[in-house]
Amino acid sequence: QVQLVESGGGLVQAGGSLRLSCAVSGRTFSSSAMGWFRQAPGKEREFVAAISLSGSVTSYADSVKGRFTISRDNAKNTMYLQMNSLKPEDTAVYYCNKVRRWPSGPDFGSWGQGTRVTVSS
């Protein structure tokens, strides 16, 4: 299976910023749409953002539009999520994954460990 390693999470005050990274192993990164998902305590995992193969098309959940930016560097096999103007409601474990059904359908068998984001008020 493809290995997905998320990093960059941490504790930040409301209004602050974080940049998450997703390192993807193997040779398939450039051939897959990718996405970010998150799971808050007591809630189901939800879609955050997705990016197409080339990075030319992106999609965002309404809750993060205008605040988060997804990007990818295929040469480095890495995807990013720049999160600005963070809110306490953004507190969650963030996961990256391949997108099999555009834009919000992940590869359910390929989750990484996630990276925890905590936004304090």
Side-chain angles (χ1 to χ4, degrees):
Q1 292 183 321
V2 175
Q3 184 178 11
L4 306 168
V5 181
E6 300 93 342
S7 62
L11 175 64
V12 64
Q13 293 184 347
S17 299
L18 285 172
R19 190 182 76 154
L20 307 184
S21 297
C22 171
V24 184
S25 66
R27 301 289 188 270
T28 62
F29 181 76
S30 63
S31 65
S32 300
M34 297 290 295
W36 286 96
F37 304 79
R38 67 186 182 186
Q39 187 166 20
K43 297 184 178 180
E44 296 184 351
R45 196 164 298 182
E46 66 178 359
F47 167 75
V48 176
I51 187 166
S52 64
L53 299 178
S54 67
S56 62
V57 181
T58 58
S59 182
Y60 298 92
D62 288 342
S63 60
V64 306
K65 286 181 179 178
R67 300 188 298 120
F68 291 10
T69 303
I70 189 171
S71 62
R72 66 191 295 167
D73 186 337
N74 289 345
K76 297 180 179 179
N77 289 347
T78 304
M79 180 177 64
Y80 307 95
L81 185 68
Q82 178 66 46
M83 306 187 295
N84 298 326
S85 301
L86 283 163
K87 304 175 180 180
E89 304 91 269
D90 296 318
T91 295
V93 177
Y94 284 71
Y95 302 87
C96 63
N97 207 340
K98 297 181 182 297
V99 172
R100 295 182 61 85
R101 180 183 179 185
W102 183 263
S104 59
D107 183 344
F108 290 99
S110 300
W111 297 109
Q113 296 299 308
T115 185
R116 185 176 298 275
V117 172
T118 302
V119 184
S120 65
S121 60

